[in-house]
Amino acid sequence: MANVTLKNLTKTYPGQVTAVDNLSLEIADGEFLVLVGPSGCGKSTALKMIAGLEPITAGEVLIADEVVNEYASRDRDIAMVFQSYALYPHMSVFDNIAFSLQIAKVPKAEITRRVGEVARILQLEDYLRRKPGNLSGGQRQRVAMGRAIIRQPSVFLMDEPLSNLDAKLRVQMRSEIAQIQRRVKVTTIYVTHDQVEAMTMGDRVALMKDGVLQQVDTPDNIYNRPANTFVASFIGSPSMNLYRARLEGEVASCTLVLGGNRLAIPASVFADRAELAAKIGADIIVGLRPEDLEDAALLPTHPADQRLAAHVILNESLGSDHMVHFPIDAPLAKVSDQDSLDEIVVAEGVCIGRFGARSLVKAGQSIEVAVACDRLHFFDAATGLAI
Ligand SMILES: Nc1ncnc2c1ncn2[C@@H]1O[C@H](COP(=O)(O)OP(=O)(O)OP(=O)(O)O)[C@@H](O)[C@H]1O
Ligand SMILES: [Mg+2]
């Protein structure tokens, strides 16, 4: 087992595409780090440089505190699981898992013992004699994991290993992989463009955009304290609603002017945001998570000065809750590259609230929306950085 350190790692492909730009990260021994970001942001390139499959333009990769830039892939003590996990079709599951040990001339008895142990961890004991063609997608994925685990590497590198699976199996496998990693405790770097995988699997999440690291933190902190508008809009589904707005008044009695709406901002909001008071009077970007908006009819005691007047244009009922769409007449804060996200594209100015199951609102109705004003997010209007 080993820690992994990236120091100012940079990759410029021929033609001057800087795919990874000055990436620095420290991944602790035994940690599960998820590298996430939109398509083309440089995730696979970063992983390939760690794996030794792509030459490094500048910077260093350290495994167990040793610079490995000049080491061949096979000398880095890593195991990889990729999206296409080509198994040997003519070999049994046992032989597929055992292959690297057989090549290394490990004694037969030890191979049998280690394959048995890996098969138990991966719940493949009943399938060891089968050929890959006679397995389900999830079982094949587990065989690919088994091939990686059996080598007892210092580091696992995984690049979208679940993207070939159907939605249900993906959900099942993502919890299995996370549990297996916690059992074997091998340092893991896991690449995905799926923010749900990132949030549910990682000890920490590193979010990239255009080759540049945006934030690295625990899933909770990434969600609750996004460093900028890009992180805020990438993590969470539906996305955080972002608008240009203005704060008026003073800390003790502050009002957020959001288009034609005025919302009272509790003084507590300023307590843990030292820079916010200085922004009173200036344009800012405000972020509202869908779950911080509620049908006011369900919250009769919600303060009158923390409500928006809204006209519902769409209610997507999911049974457990409702995604209610309503326009707000404030300018949307556009996040660059937003169109490359796998998000539902909403009409400009439309806000989405996640209302409780008991809400009865319908398209065409004028309603009041209760806003959890103590849970708003604030960003600098010029830089997009969190305040
Ligand atoms: N061999 C290459 N030559 C030139 N440019 C490349 C090469 N491989 C990748 N790129 C470019 O580098 C950038 C990053 O690519 P990379 O494959 O690392 O992205 P990614 O984050 O893994 O995307 P995805 O989620 O689609 O897999 C992209 O702009 C891509 O076009
Ligand atoms: Mg990729």
Side-chain angles (χ1 to χ4, degrees):
M1 293 209 276
N3 57 327
V4 176
T5 307
L6 312 182
K7 281 190 189 162
N8 309 104
L9 196 60
T10 299
K11 175 71 192 186
T12 307
Y13 284 112
Q16 301 306 307
V17 182
T18 299
V20 176
D21 193 354
N22 218 5
L23 175 64
S24 293
L25 271 176
E26 288 193 33
I27 302 121
D29 187 12
E31 186 175 20
F32 194 126
L33 180 97
V34 177
L35 202 51
V36 67
S39 182
C41 74
K43 306 177 296 289
S44 295
T45 302
L47 204 71
K48 285 183 207 158
M49 284 193 285
I50 301 168
L53 300 175
E54 191 67 71
I56 295 168
T57 307
E60 288 180 333
V61 175
L62 293 89
I63 298 177
D65 300 322
E66 189 180 356
V67 178
V68 298
N69 285 36
E70 303 304 322
Y71 288 20
S73 186
R74 63 178 175 280
D75 297 329
R76 294 191 184 193
D77 198 15
I78 51 167
M80 289 172 279
V81 183
F82 289 120
Q83 179 180 343
S84 53
Y85 39 88
L87 303 174
Y88 300 108
H90 57 285
M91 297 198 311
S92 67
V93 168
F94 183 101
D95 286 333
N96 264 284
I97 296 175
F99 189 68
S100 64
L101 303 186
Q102 289 163 350
I103 293 287
K105 303 249 183 298
V106 173
K108 263 204 155 138
E110 186 181 342
I111 291 179
T112 306
R113 184 182 61 75
R114 274 165 70 178
V115 172
E117 193 180 309
V118 166
R120 185 177 48 76
I121 292 173
L122 295 169
Q123 295 170 359
L124 286 170
E125 287 155 303
D126 295 340
Y127 307 100
L128 287 172
R129 286 164 197 272
R130 284 206 204 167
K131 299 273 167 64
N134 302 329
L135 297 175
S136 72
Q139 289 161 346
R140 260 178 266 168
Q141 187 61 44
R142 272 182 273 163
V143 176
M145 288 281 295
R147 273 197 319 198
I149 291 175
I150 197 142
R151 293 172 42 200
Q152 303 176 334
S154 298
V155 181
F156 284 143
L157 302 175
M158 306 193 195
D159 193 348
E160 314 246 8
L162 305 184
S163 51
N164 280 341
L165 306 180
D166 67 46
K168 190 175 170 205
L169 202 53
R170 235 165 41 208
V171 172
Q172 188 188 334
M173 281 303 295
R174 92 178 169 225
S175 69
E176 277 187 25
I177 290 179
Q179 285 175 47
I180 291 164
Q181 194 273 342
R182 259 127 227 170
R183 237 174 285 154
V184 296
K185 280 250 161 267
V186 172
T187 312
T188 300
I189 304 174
Y190 183 102
V191 163
T192 180
H193 65 271
D194 179 340
Q195 48 111 356
V196 179
E197 279 181 24
M199 292 295 287
T200 54
M201 296 177 80
D203 294 318
R204 283 189 309 156
V205 176
L207 179 50
M208 287 173 72
K209 174 193 172 224
D210 299 337
V212 179
L213 182 66
Q214 303 291 306
Q215 186 171 7
V216 53
D217 212 327
T218 60
D220 264 5
N221 285 344
I222 288 255
Y223 190 82
N224 292 314
R225 279 306 177 102
N228 58 42
T229 48
F230 180 79
V231 178
S233 66
F234 188 80
I235 301 286
S237 181
S239 285
M240 185 186 284
N241 303 288
L242 293 165
Y243 292 97
R244 294 193 177 272
R246 199 159 21 84
L247 291 168
E248 284 183 355
E250 52 193 283
V251 169
S253 62
C254 187
T255 303
L256 180 79
V257 181
L258 178 63
N261 288 283
R262 300 174 70 83
L263 294 167
I265 302 301
S268 62
V269 166
F270 291 89
D272 50 356
R273 289 179 185 81
E275 322 271 287
L276 190 60
K279 296 288 183 187
I280 293 177
D283 283 345
I284 48 133
I285 295 171
V286 67
L288 309 95
R289 290 260 185 226
E291 66 271 27
D292 295 331
L293 304 171
E294 180 57 279
D295 179 359
L298 301 183
L299 295 174
T301 60
H302 195 80
D305 56 4
Q306 296 187 3
R307 297 174 181 219
L308 296 170
H311 185 75
V312 176
I313 56 168
L314 180 67
N315 179 354
E316 297 174 311
S317 181
L318 303 178
S320 57
D321 42 23
H322 304 266
M323 299 303 166
V324 177
H325 299 225
F326 49 89
I328 291 186
D329 65 347
L332 266 192
K334 279 272 181 197
V335 177
S336 62
D337 272 3
Q338 179 131 33
D339 53 359
S340 66
L341 306 183
D342 302 5
E343 298 287 346
I344 310 153
V345 177
V346 294
E348 193 155 330
V350 171
C351 187
I352 300 181
R354 184 193 292 263
F355 289 5
R358 291 179 300 114
S359 171
L360 300 171
V361 305
K362 290 192 172 55
Q365 279 182 339
S366 290
I367 61 161
E368 277 192 316
V369 177
V371 181
C373 287
D374 55 335
R375 298 184 49 83
L376 296 178
H377 298 257
F378 300 93
F379 304 92
D380 187 289
T383 64
L385 294 177
I387 302 170

